């Protein structure tokens, strides 16, 4: 186990009743890394993120985040799932939606205190939502809603931010704004791990890529992984001359 690792996954087996998704996954992520978890649909990327959080019943192996294991992992991690359960028509302001991210720390039956409100305010500032803080969430655009979800995850002041397909449905300006935010977070020491289908953004923005298809196919700096097509072919089941690979600069 690396002494520098913020996330340490060892021998992880995970899946669902009657279906194994991954076996023997080992993964070590250091503080302040921006990691792109990329692979085709059905590769198990979401399952891996959920297993790190302890949300997959029957998963076996060891997962630790900042030294915490089991349910305590969730106090160290902010998570933005691809499919979220927000009722966007619910009459709540952006500020209160972000503050709800503190519920896991405050508890369901306690009122948020001064420290909770300050943490929510910092998350709103980080995500450039100050001008929308009093606005009902029903009035937000798609990009603004995605920033609210990320701010809600950041309100718990996590050491790790796990993001499942954060760019889905976003246009170029909103994608760029999120990438700038992720760069700032990692520069401040937060580790960001995102699964994404946006190969171009991942290949050119992440400090590290993990090619994943029911297990880790390759893992390393994006520039190094683009030097050879084989691991990409193995991950996505495409030829070395595929336009999918040439578009992101993978050598044929």
């Amino acid at each position: 186990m690396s002494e520098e690792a913020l996330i340490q996954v060892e021998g992880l087996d995970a899946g669902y009743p009657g279906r194994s998704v991954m076996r023997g996954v080992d993964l070590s992520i250091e503080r302040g890394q921006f990691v792109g978890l990329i692979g085709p649909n059905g590769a198990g990327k979401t399952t891996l993120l959920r297993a790190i959080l302890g949300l997959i019943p029957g998963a076996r192996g060891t997962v630790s985040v900042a030294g915490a294991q089991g349910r305590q992992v969730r106090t160290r991690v902010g998570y933005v799932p691809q499919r979220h359960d927000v009722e966007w028509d619910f009459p709540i302001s952006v500020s209160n939606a972000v503050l709800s991210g503190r519920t896991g720390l405050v508890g369901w039956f306690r009122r948020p205190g001064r420290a909770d409100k300050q943490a929510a305010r910092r998350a709103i500032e980080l995500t450039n939502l100050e001008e929308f803080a009093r606005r009902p969430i029903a009035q937000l655009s798609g990009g603004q809603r995605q920033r609210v979800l990320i701010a809600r995850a950041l309100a718990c002041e996590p050491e790790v931010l796990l993001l499942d397909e954060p760019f889905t449905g976003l246009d170029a300006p909103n994608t760029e704004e999120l990438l700038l935010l992720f760069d700032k977070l990692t520069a401040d020491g937060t580790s960001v791990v995102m699964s994404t289908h946006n190969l171009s953004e991942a290949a050119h923005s992440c400090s590290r890529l993990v090619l994943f298809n029911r297990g880790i196919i390759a893992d390393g700096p994006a520039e190094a992984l683009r030097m050879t097509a084989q691991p990409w072919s193995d991950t996505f089941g495409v030829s070395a001359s595929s336009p999918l690979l040439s578009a992101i600069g993978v050598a044929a």
Side-chain angles (χ1 to χ4, degrees), residues 3-238:
E3 293 182 359
E4 300 294 327
L6 182 60
I7 301 175
Q8 190 75 47
V9 177
E10 296 181 332
L12 180 64
D13 298 346
Y16 304 96
R19 180 166 65 94
S20 173
V21 175
M22 67 191 72
R23 289 188 180 277
V25 171
D26 297 324
L27 180 65
S28 178
I29 296 174
E30 298 176 7
R31 189 176 299 277
Q33 284 191 321
F34 183 14
V35 180
L37 179 65
I38 58 180
N41 287 334
K45 303 185 298 296
T46 295
T47 301
L48 176 58
L49 296 183
R50 288 175 56 81
I52 290 173
L53 283 165
L55 298 176
I56 303 296
R60 292 177 293 179
T62 301
V63 175
S64 66
V65 177
Q69 295 185 343
R71 294 183 63 86
Q72 290 303 310
V73 163
R74 299 177 201 176
T75 66
R76 309 293 205 278
V77 178
Y79 177 47
V80 182
Q82 181 180 9
R83 294 178 178 84
H84 46 78
D85 57 0
V86 175
E87 295 290 342
W88 292 106
D89 291 331
F90 192 76
I92 187 174
S93 69
V94 166
S95 180
N96 285 330
V98 173
L99 184 59
S100 71
R102 299 285 296 182
T103 300
L105 301 176
V106 175
W108 288 100
F109 303 109
R110 287 182 51 212
R111 294 178 62 84
R114 181 177 180 181
D116 302 305
K117 294 176 181 178
Q118 288 176 337
R121 190 156 46 245
R122 285 192 293 270
I124 287 172
E125 291 170 356
L126 271 173
T127 49
N128 291 328
L129 287 168
E130 297 100 317
E131 65 179 292
F132 306 106
R134 296 175 181 269
R135 183 173 297 185
I137 59 173
Q139 297 179 11
L140 301 178
S141 68
Q144 291 160 358
R145 290 179 177 184
Q146 187 70 350
R147 279 189 282 151
V148 168
L149 295 173
I150 292 171
R152 187 174 69 169
L154 291 174
C156 67
E157 301 178 303
E159 296 180 72
V160 177
L161 186 62
L162 300 182
L163 305 162
D164 196 357
E165 299 291 349
F167 304 129
T168 299
L170 298 188
D171 57 15
N174 279 297
T175 297
E176 181 179 28
E177 187 163 9
L178 288 186
L179 287 170
L180 291 172
L181 169 62
F182 301 155
D183 283 342
K184 176 176 174 53
L185 290 171
T186 53
D188 290 340
T190 302
S191 295
V192 176
V193 182
M194 69 171 185
S195 75
T196 180
H197 286 104
N198 194 327
L199 299 187
S200 179
E201 296 298 351
H204 292 95
S205 301
C206 294
S207 58
R208 173 180 168 192
L209 298 179
V210 175
L211 305 187
F212 195 88
N213 194 339
R214 297 184 174 270
I216 296 174
I217 306 297
D219 179 359
E223 287 188 10
L225 290 185
R226 288 203 299 267
M227 298 296 291
T228 176
Q230 191 60 53
W232 299 83
S233 297
D234 292 343
T235 301
F236 290 96
V238 297

